[in-house]
Amino acid sequence: MSPNDRLDSSTVMALDEPAQPAGSSAFPTAWAEVHAQADAALLQPALQGNGFTYRHDWGARRGQVVLRLNWGDVTPRSRVFVSVAEGLSGGPETGKFIGAARYTVHNVAPRAGGVDIWVNIEWSTDLLLYADYLVVNPADVTTRTVQVTVHRHSSVPLSDAEADRILADMGTILQSDDSPADVATPVRFVRNGAVRVLPPTVAGTIQTQAEWTTLMTAGTGIKVVQAIRWCGGPGDSIIGCAPVGSPSVNLAVVRFTPGQEGILWAHEYGHNAGNGHRTDDPRALMYPAIGPDHNVVNNAEAERFLSGPTAATGKVLPASGCCCDGEAIQPPRDVRDFVSLHWIEGVPYEAASRYTEDDARRLLAWLVDEPEQHEEFLPQIVSTLCFIGSEVAVQPLIDFVRSPRSGRAVFNAKNAALVRLGDLVNKSGSRAALDFLAGVAAGMDAAKALAAPQASAAKAEAAAAGVTAPGIDALGAELAVSATFGLSLAGTPEAEQAIERLIDDPDAFASVNQAAVEAAEICRTVRARGQREYYRMKAEHRNHL
C-alpha cells in the first residue's frame, strides 16, 4: 500500500463544519513576475532518510484554520514541508493555481502520528484548499553521514555516477563486519554536488612538495589526479596520499581497479581521521598495501572513522615508508609475490631492500623477457630492483626507460625507474646510472624523445575518454623531474653538483629548475644521514620534506 492510499483512510480535519460550494478568486490582476533557473552546480545531494510526498484536498475554506493530518509515518523528528494554494475543481490531481486570494502557511508542527498546520486564506467566500506535504524522516542517527566534495583533474575521467559508486563502496566496506577481527563502523559517504574539475593551477601529476601544497589548498575533498610521485618525498608507484589528521576531508588518489577504489578512498580517508598504517593484519584496511579483501577495521580505527577528520598534525604519510616501523612489514619470501602487491604510498624501502641479487635476477626475467605479462606491476618491479641495489640491473633499467613501450602503467614505471635509479646509485655507485639520470634531467630534447611513445598513447586514450591529454612537453618534463629527484636520492657529491647546475639551467624545463631546489635539500640530507637513515626519518615523520 502506498503512503497516499494509507492517508485516504486516516486523514481527519480539526474543524467539522461542512464544506461549502467552492467559488474562485480568479480574476485579472496585475502583479510582478520574477523567473529564475535552478543552478545545477549548486544542488546538494539527495535528501537523506525516508521521504514521502502527498497532496490533500482540505475542501472549501476561508479565514484562519488549523488543519490536523493524521499520518502514522510522521514523528516529532520528521522534517515536514508544506505548500498550499487554491485548487482547481475536479480533485487534487487537477492541480493548483495562483488567484487573487492569499494562501499563507503560518506554522507547521510534526507530532507523533501526524502533522498540524495553521493556514490563513484571505478571501470573503470559501475557496478550495489543496496542501502539498513533503515529509523526510532522518536516517538512523547512529549512522554518521559524511558529505564529500569530489574533484578531478581535467585529464582524468570521473563521472558523478562513478564517484557515487566509489563513495557507496566506502560505506559498505566500513559498515560490514566480515570477520571476528573486523568492527562494523556505521559511516556512509555521499557526494556534495557534482564532481568538480580542479583549477588549472593544479598539476595533473604531483611530483614536488610545491605541487602537493597547491593540490591540498585547492579546496577540500577527494582529489583525483593522473599520477602521484610525491608523498612526503619523491616516490614511485603511489596511488594515494593524505595528511594523517586533517581538519577536513582532504586527500589525493589516482584512478585504480574499479572493485578496489572504495578501499583506496576509505584508506586515505582513514588517514584524514588520524589512522596510521597497521601491519599486524595483512587484511587491515590501513595496511600499507591494497587488496580486494583489505577491509578489516579494529576498535581504535573504528572510533576515528566515526569521529572523522581530526585536528591537523602537519604530517603526511611518506613515500616508501609508513606510520609504523618499516621492519614490521614481513615481505613474502618470493620477491615476485612482493612486487605483485600494490603499495599505496609506494614500495617500502625497508622491506624491498632485504631482497638479494638472486631476487633481482628473478625480477629482471619478468622485466626483460615477460614485460607484457606483468605490465600492471612494472612500477613495483623497477622500484624493487633499484632498492636491492645490484649493478646487474642498471643497463636493463636504462634500456626499459629508453624502450618504445607505452601505456599508463609503463609510463609510471619509467618514471619510477628514474626516481629509484638514484637509490641504486647510492648503493652501487654506478656511474652509468648517474650519467643517465643527469642526461635526462638536463636534456630537454632527450626527455621529450623518451616521452614520445607515451604522448601518442595518451592522446588516443584522452580522446576516447573525453578528457584533456598531456602533450609531449608535459610528459617529457615529468620524466626530467623524476630524473632530478633520482639524482637527489643518489646522495653523492657528483649528484649534488648536477642538481645545483639544474637550478639555474636555462636549457632545462622550468619545472626541473623548480624541482631542483627541493632536490638539492634532499640530496644534502641523504649525504649527511645515509640512505637507510633518510628512509627511517621519513617513516617516522622526523623530516618534513
Side-chain angles (χ1 to χ4, degrees), residues 360-414:
R361 294 184 186 279
R362 294 185 183 93
L363 293 182
L364 285 172
W366 275 14
L367 178 67
V368 176
D369 301 331
E370 304 173 348
E372 295 86 359
Q373 298 179 37
H374 310 288
E375 185 170 296
E376 177 185 355
F377 306 112
L378 286 175
Q380 294 93 294
I381 291 171
V382 299
S383 298
T384 303
L385 279 168
C386 292
F387 281 143
I388 292 172
S390 172
E391 196 159 4
V392 69
V394 171
Q395 195 56 49
L397 286 166
I398 293 175
D399 292 342
F400 170 71
V401 176
R402 287 173 172 164
S403 73
R405 293 180 56 79
S406 64
R408 176 50 50 184
V410 173
F411 190 67
N412 283 338
K414 290 182 177 183

Side-chain angles (χ1 to χ4, degrees), residues 439-464:
V440 176
M444 191 180 296
D445 291 339
K448 288 196 287 186
L450 295 175
Q454 180 60 22
S456 300
K459 184 176 181 180
E461 292 173 3

Side-chain angles (χ1 to χ4, degrees), residues 205-242:
T205 296
I206 307 302
Q207 291 188 282
T208 67
Q209 176 67 63
E211 290 171 343
W212 171 259
T213 300
T214 300
L215 176 65
M216 288 293 101
T217 54
T220 61
I222 295 174
K223 299 160 184 179
V224 188
V225 295
Q226 188 67 247
I228 305 171
R229 301 198 184 100
W230 179 281
C231 186
D236 42 77
S237 52
I238 303 168
I239 60 174
C241 185

